[in-house]
Amino acid sequence: MFRQGSRFLSRASTMRWCRPFSTDLPAEAAADSNFVEAWRKAIPNVEPPITPSSFMATRPATPSSIPSKLTVNFALPYSSELSGKEVDMVIIPATTGQMGVLPGHVATIAELKPGVLSVHEGNDISKYFVSGGFAFVHANSVADIIAVEAVPLDRIDPNLVQKGLTDFTQKLSTASTDVEKAEAQTGVDVHSALNAALTG
Amino acid sequence: MASNAAAPFWRSAGMTYITYSNLCANLVRNCLKEPYKTEALSREKVHYSISKWVDGKPQKPSKYSLLCLYLF
Protein backbone atom coordinates (compact mmCIF):
# COMPACT_ATOMS: atom_id res chain seq x y z
CA MET A 1 0.00 0.00 0.00
CA PHE A 2 2.79 2.40 0.86
CA ARG A 3 5.15 1.08 -1.81
CA GLN A 4 5.73 4.58 -3.17
CA GLY A 5 5.86 6.20 0.25
CA SER A 6 9.60 5.99 0.81
CA ARG A 7 10.22 7.42 -2.62
CA PHE A 8 8.11 10.49 -1.89
CA LEU A 9 9.68 10.90 1.53
CA SER A 10 13.21 10.76 0.18
CA ARG A 11 12.29 13.10 -2.64
CA ALA A 12 10.76 15.59 -0.23
CA SER A 13 13.81 15.56 2.00
CA THR A 14 16.25 16.03 -0.87
CA MET A 15 14.09 18.76 -2.39
CA ARG A 16 14.40 20.82 0.72
CA TRP A 17 18.10 21.26 0.12
CA CYS A 18 18.27 21.71 -3.62
CA ARG A 19 15.12 23.70 -4.26
CA PRO A 20 16.12 27.04 -5.82
CA PHE A 21 14.50 30.38 -5.14
CA SER A 22 11.36 30.91 -7.18
CA THR A 23 12.88 34.01 -8.78
CA ASP A 24 15.99 32.33 -10.20
CA LEU A 25 14.48 29.90 -12.63
CA PRO A 26 16.92 27.33 -13.98
CA ALA A 27 17.16 26.68 -17.70
CA GLU A 28 15.60 23.24 -17.47
CA ALA A 29 14.94 20.53 -20.00
CA ALA A 30 11.33 20.87 -21.12
CA ALA A 31 10.31 17.26 -20.52
CA ASP A 32 10.84 15.13 -17.42
CA SER A 33 13.50 12.68 -18.59
CA ASN A 34 12.48 10.02 -16.03
CA PHE A 35 8.93 10.12 -17.30
CA VAL A 36 9.95 9.91 -20.96
CA GLU A 37 12.25 6.99 -20.20
CA ALA A 38 9.51 5.15 -18.28
CA TRP A 39 7.02 5.86 -21.07
CA ARG A 40 9.35 4.47 -23.75
CA LYS A 41 9.84 1.32 -21.69
CA ALA A 42 6.11 0.78 -21.20
CA ILE A 43 4.73 1.98 -24.56
CA PRO A 44 7.56 1.89 -27.11
CA ASN A 45 5.27 2.28 -30.14
CA VAL A 46 3.64 5.56 -29.02
CA GLU A 47 5.44 8.88 -28.70
CA PRO A 48 5.38 10.39 -25.19
CA PRO A 49 2.63 12.98 -24.76
CA ILE A 50 3.53 16.64 -25.19
CA THR A 51 2.64 18.62 -22.08
CA PRO A 52 2.13 22.39 -21.88
CA SER A 53 5.52 22.80 -20.22
CA SER A 54 7.29 21.35 -23.24
CA PHE A 55 5.94 24.22 -25.35
CA MET A 56 7.48 26.79 -23.02
CA ALA A 57 10.75 28.37 -24.03
CA THR A 58 13.48 27.63 -21.54
CA ARG A 59 14.77 30.47 -19.44
CA PRO A 60 18.06 31.95 -20.63
CA ALA A 61 20.89 31.34 -18.18
CA THR A 62 22.15 34.21 -16.04
CA PRO A 63 24.95 35.83 -18.06
CA SER A 64 28.28 36.52 -16.34
CA SER A 65 28.30 40.16 -17.43
CA ILE A 66 25.30 42.46 -17.10
CA PRO A 67 23.44 42.77 -20.43
CA SER A 68 22.63 46.23 -21.78
CA LYS A 69 18.89 45.59 -22.10
CA LEU A 70 16.17 44.33 -19.81
CA THR A 71 13.73 41.76 -21.22
CA VAL A 72 10.18 42.50 -20.14
CA ASN A 73 7.11 40.30 -20.32
CA PHE A 74 3.96 42.20 -19.41
CA ALA A 75 0.78 40.16 -19.38
CA LEU A 76 -2.87 40.84 -18.59
CA PRO A 77 -5.58 38.20 -18.17
CA TYR A 78 -6.92 39.00 -21.64
CA SER A 79 -3.86 40.07 -23.59
CA SER A 80 -0.11 40.06 -23.77
CA GLU A 81 1.02 43.68 -23.76
CA LEU A 82 4.77 43.14 -24.00
CA SER A 83 6.33 39.82 -24.78
CA GLY A 84 10.08 39.43 -24.52
CA LYS A 85 10.57 43.11 -25.28
CA GLU A 86 14.06 44.49 -24.76
CA VAL A 87 13.95 47.83 -22.97
CA ASP A 88 16.34 50.04 -21.01
CA MET A 89 14.35 50.35 -17.80
CA VAL A 90 10.94 49.82 -16.27
CA ILE A 91 9.58 51.69 -13.27
CA ILE A 92 7.22 49.49 -11.31
CA PRO A 93 4.65 50.83 -8.81
CA ALA A 94 5.44 48.41 -5.97
CA THR A 95 3.59 48.56 -2.64
CA THR A 96 6.91 49.55 -1.07
CA GLY A 97 7.35 52.48 -3.47
CA GLN A 98 8.33 53.14 -7.06
CA MET A 99 10.91 50.58 -8.13
CA GLY A 100 13.21 51.24 -11.07
CA VAL A 101 14.41 48.01 -12.67
CA LEU A 102 17.54 48.13 -14.80
CA PRO A 103 19.39 45.20 -16.39
CA GLY A 104 21.22 43.18 -13.75
CA HIS A 105 18.67 43.97 -11.03
CA VAL A 106 18.75 41.60 -8.09
CA ALA A 107 16.05 38.88 -8.16
CA THR A 108 12.89 40.21 -6.49
CA ILE A 109 9.17 39.62 -6.22
CA ALA A 110 7.13 42.79 -5.75
CA GLU A 111 3.42 43.31 -5.20
CA LEU A 112 2.06 46.12 -7.35
CA LYS A 113 -0.19 48.89 -6.09
CA PRO A 114 -2.48 50.97 -8.32
CA GLY A 115 -0.06 53.27 -10.12
CA VAL A 116 1.93 54.03 -13.22
CA LEU A 117 4.14 51.46 -14.86
CA SER A 118 6.56 53.21 -17.20
CA VAL A 119 8.61 51.41 -19.80
CA HIS A 120 11.70 53.33 -20.92
CA GLU A 121 13.09 52.43 -24.29
CA GLY A 122 15.69 54.92 -25.53
CA ASN A 123 13.81 58.23 -25.60
CA ASP A 124 10.40 56.55 -25.78
CA ILE A 125 8.52 56.21 -22.53
CA SER A 126 5.27 54.28 -22.61
CA LYS A 127 3.12 54.59 -19.52
CA TYR A 128 0.40 52.24 -18.35
CA PHE A 129 -1.86 52.56 -15.34
CA VAL A 130 -1.94 49.19 -13.58
CA SER A 131 -4.61 48.33 -11.02
CA GLY A 132 -2.55 45.78 -9.12
CA GLY A 133 -0.63 42.59 -9.65
CA PHE A 134 2.85 41.23 -9.22
CA ALA A 135 6.27 41.75 -10.73
CA PHE A 136 8.90 39.04 -10.82
CA VAL A 137 12.42 40.20 -11.51
CA HIS A 138 14.77 37.36 -12.34
CA ALA A 139 18.54 37.32 -11.95
CA ASN A 140 19.01 36.93 -15.73
CA SER A 141 17.66 40.46 -16.44
CA VAL A 142 14.17 39.20 -17.29
CA ALA A 143 11.20 40.87 -15.62
CA ASP A 144 7.73 39.31 -15.68
CA ILE A 145 4.95 41.75 -14.83
CA ILE A 146 1.39 40.58 -14.43
CA ALA A 147 -1.56 42.87 -13.73
CA VAL A 148 -5.31 42.45 -13.41
CA GLU A 149 -6.05 45.56 -15.48
CA ALA A 150 -3.67 47.93 -17.24
CA VAL A 151 -4.46 50.76 -19.62
CA PRO A 152 -2.40 53.38 -21.43
CA LEU A 153 -2.70 56.71 -19.60
CA ASP A 154 -4.48 58.52 -22.46
CA ARG A 155 -7.50 56.22 -22.14
CA ILE A 156 -8.38 57.51 -18.67
CA ASP A 157 -11.14 60.11 -18.37
CA PRO A 158 -10.05 62.88 -15.92
CA ASN A 159 -13.67 63.90 -15.21
CA LEU A 160 -14.63 60.40 -14.09
CA VAL A 161 -11.51 60.28 -11.90
CA GLN A 162 -12.46 63.52 -10.12
CA LYS A 163 -16.05 62.34 -9.71
CA GLY A 164 -14.90 58.98 -8.31
CA LEU A 165 -12.49 60.68 -5.93
CA THR A 166 -15.20 62.92 -4.42
CA ASP A 167 -17.70 60.01 -4.32
CA PHE A 168 -15.34 57.71 -2.46
CA THR A 169 -14.07 60.44 -0.10
CA GLN A 170 -17.69 60.97 0.90
CA LYS A 171 -18.32 57.22 1.19
CA LEU A 172 -15.28 56.91 3.44
CA SER A 173 -16.72 59.44 5.91
CA THR A 174 -20.12 57.72 6.02
CA ALA A 175 -18.92 54.09 5.98
CA SER A 176 -19.91 52.15 9.08
CA THR A 177 -18.64 48.55 8.78
CA ASP A 178 -15.01 47.49 8.36
CA VAL A 179 -15.62 46.15 4.86
CA GLU A 180 -17.39 49.34 3.75
CA LYS A 181 -14.52 51.40 5.13
CA ALA A 182 -11.94 49.24 3.35
CA GLU A 183 -13.89 49.46 0.08
CA ALA A 184 -14.15 53.23 0.35
CA GLN A 185 -10.45 53.48 1.27
CA THR A 186 -9.56 51.37 -1.77
CA GLY A 187 -11.70 53.66 -3.91
CA VAL A 188 -9.92 56.74 -2.56
CA ASP A 189 -6.51 55.11 -3.07
CA VAL A 190 -7.22 54.04 -6.66
CA HIS A 191 -8.70 57.40 -7.67
CA SER A 192 -5.90 59.36 -5.98
CA ALA A 193 -3.38 57.22 -7.87
CA LEU A 194 -5.28 57.82 -11.13
CA ASN A 195 -5.38 61.54 -10.38
CA ALA A 196 -1.66 61.62 -9.59
CA ALA A 197 -0.94 59.68 -12.78
CA LEU A 198 -2.86 62.19 -14.90
CA THR A 199 -1.57 65.36 -13.25
CA GLY A 200 1.97 64.27 -12.39
CA MET B 1 -1.34 30.23 11.40
CA ALA B 2 -1.40 33.75 10.10
CA SER B 3 1.71 35.77 10.69
CA ASN B 4 1.73 38.67 13.11
CA ALA B 5 3.22 41.00 10.53
CA ALA B 6 1.21 44.12 9.79
CA ALA B 7 -1.50 43.34 7.22
CA PRO B 8 -2.80 45.82 4.65
CA PHE B 9 -6.04 47.59 5.64
CA TRP B 10 -8.17 45.57 3.19
CA ARG B 11 -6.85 42.32 4.64
CA SER B 12 -7.64 43.43 8.20
CA ALA B 13 -11.20 44.17 7.05
CA GLY B 14 -11.53 40.55 5.89
CA MET B 15 -11.12 41.03 2.14
CA THR B 16 -9.03 38.52 0.21
CA TYR B 17 -6.37 39.55 -2.30
CA ILE B 18 -8.61 38.42 -5.16
CA THR B 19 -11.49 40.56 -3.90
CA TYR B 20 -9.20 43.55 -3.40
CA SER B 21 -7.41 43.29 -6.74
CA ASN B 22 -10.67 42.80 -8.65
CA LEU B 23 -12.17 45.79 -6.85
CA CYS B 24 -9.17 47.93 -7.86
CA ALA B 25 -9.35 46.67 -11.45
CA ASN B 26 -13.06 47.46 -11.64
CA LEU B 27 -12.53 51.00 -10.34
CA VAL B 28 -9.89 51.56 -13.02
CA ARG B 29 -12.22 50.19 -15.73
CA ASN B 30 -14.97 52.58 -14.60
CA CYS B 31 -12.65 55.56 -15.15
CA LEU B 32 -11.90 54.83 -18.79
CA LYS B 33 -12.94 56.96 -21.76
CA GLU B 34 -15.98 55.76 -23.61
CA PRO B 35 -15.13 53.23 -26.31
CA TYR B 36 -12.63 51.56 -23.98
CA LYS B 37 -14.89 51.61 -20.94
CA THR B 38 -17.72 49.60 -22.51
CA GLU B 39 -15.17 47.25 -24.01
CA ALA B 40 -13.39 46.68 -20.69
CA LEU B 41 -16.61 46.27 -18.70
CA SER B 42 -18.24 43.93 -21.21
CA ARG B 43 -15.03 41.89 -21.29
CA GLU B 44 -15.60 41.11 -17.63
CA LYS B 45 -19.16 39.93 -18.20
CA VAL B 46 -18.41 37.04 -20.53
CA HIS B 47 -17.87 33.62 -19.13
CA TYR B 48 -15.69 32.38 -21.94
CA SER B 49 -13.95 34.26 -24.68
CA ILE B 50 -11.82 32.82 -27.41
CA SER B 51 -9.25 34.84 -29.27
CA LYS B 52 -7.26 33.49 -32.19
CA TRP B 53 -3.55 34.25 -32.24
CA VAL B 54 -2.12 35.52 -35.50
CA ASP B 55 1.60 36.33 -35.77
CA GLY B 56 2.01 36.17 -32.01
CA LYS B 57 -0.73 38.77 -31.42
CA PRO B 58 -4.17 38.05 -29.96
CA GLN B 59 -7.06 39.07 -32.19
CA LYS B 60 -10.31 40.53 -30.84
CA PRO B 61 -11.78 37.94 -28.49
CA SER B 62 -15.06 36.43 -29.61
CA LYS B 63 -17.58 35.64 -26.93
CA TYR B 64 -19.10 32.26 -26.34
CA SER B 65 -21.70 31.23 -23.87
CA LEU B 66 -21.21 28.05 -21.91
CA LEU B 67 -23.49 26.15 -24.33
CA CYS B 68 -21.39 27.03 -27.36
CA LEU B 69 -18.27 25.66 -25.72
CA TYR B 70 -19.85 22.24 -25.41
CA LEU B 71 -20.42 22.20 -29.15
CA PHE B 72 -16.74 22.50 -30.00
Side-chain angles (χ1 to χ4, degrees), chain A residues 51-74:
Chain A
T51 54
S53 55
S54 47
F55 286 100
M56 286 174 69
T58 50
R59 286 278 173 186
T62 310
S64 50
S65 63
I66 293 173
S68 61
K69 294 278 184 183
L70 178 75
T71 310
V72 179
N73 299 309
F74 179 30

Side-chain angles (χ1 to χ4, degrees), chain B:
Chain B
M1 194 191 143
S3 78
N4 293 324
F9 68 89
W10 46 266
R11 186 69 205 138
S12 318
M15 283 159 100
T16 60
Y17 181 74
I18 293 288
T19 317
Y20 168 73
S21 58
N22 282 335
L23 178 63
C24 287
N26 225 2
L27 291 168
V28 173
R29 284 181 205 121
N30 279 318
C31 283
L32 294 180
K33 282 177 189 165
E34 216 4 278
Y36 308 112
K37 184 177 175 178
T38 351
E39 194 189 328
L41 288 175
S42 62
R43 192 194 290 129
E44 286 307 296
K45 276 179 201 151
V46 300
H47 293 280
Y48 292 94
S49 75
I50 295 173
S51 42
K52 293 235 157 49
W53 287 67
V54 175
D55 302 330
K57 284 274 175 194
Q59 304 297 300
K60 282 255 186 231
S62 45
K63 294 155 198 168
Y64 291 94
S65 67
L66 198 59
L67 189 74
C68 289
L69 268 190
Y70 288 130
L71 300 176
F72 276 109

Side-chain angles (χ1 to χ4, degrees), chain A residues 59 70-92 101 117-121 124-130 134 136 142-147 150-152, chain B residues 53 55-58:
Chain A
R59 286 278 173 186
L70 178 75
T71 310
V72 179
N73 299 309
F74 179 30
L76 300 178
Y78 54 89
S79 81
S80 166
E81 292 288 318
L82 305 175
S83 175
K85 191 167 188 189
E86 304 217 316
V87 301
D88 294 319
M89 174 173 75
V90 287
I91 299 179
I92 294 168
V101 179
L117 166 78
S118 47
V119 181
H120 296 239
E121 196 187 358
D124 290 350
I125 303 174
S126 45
K127 289 185 173 181
Y128 299 88
F129 189 89
V130 298
F134 283 91
F136 302 86
V142 174
D144 296 325
I145 304 165
I146 52 169
V151 285
Chain B
W53 287 67
D55 302 330
K57 284 274 175 194

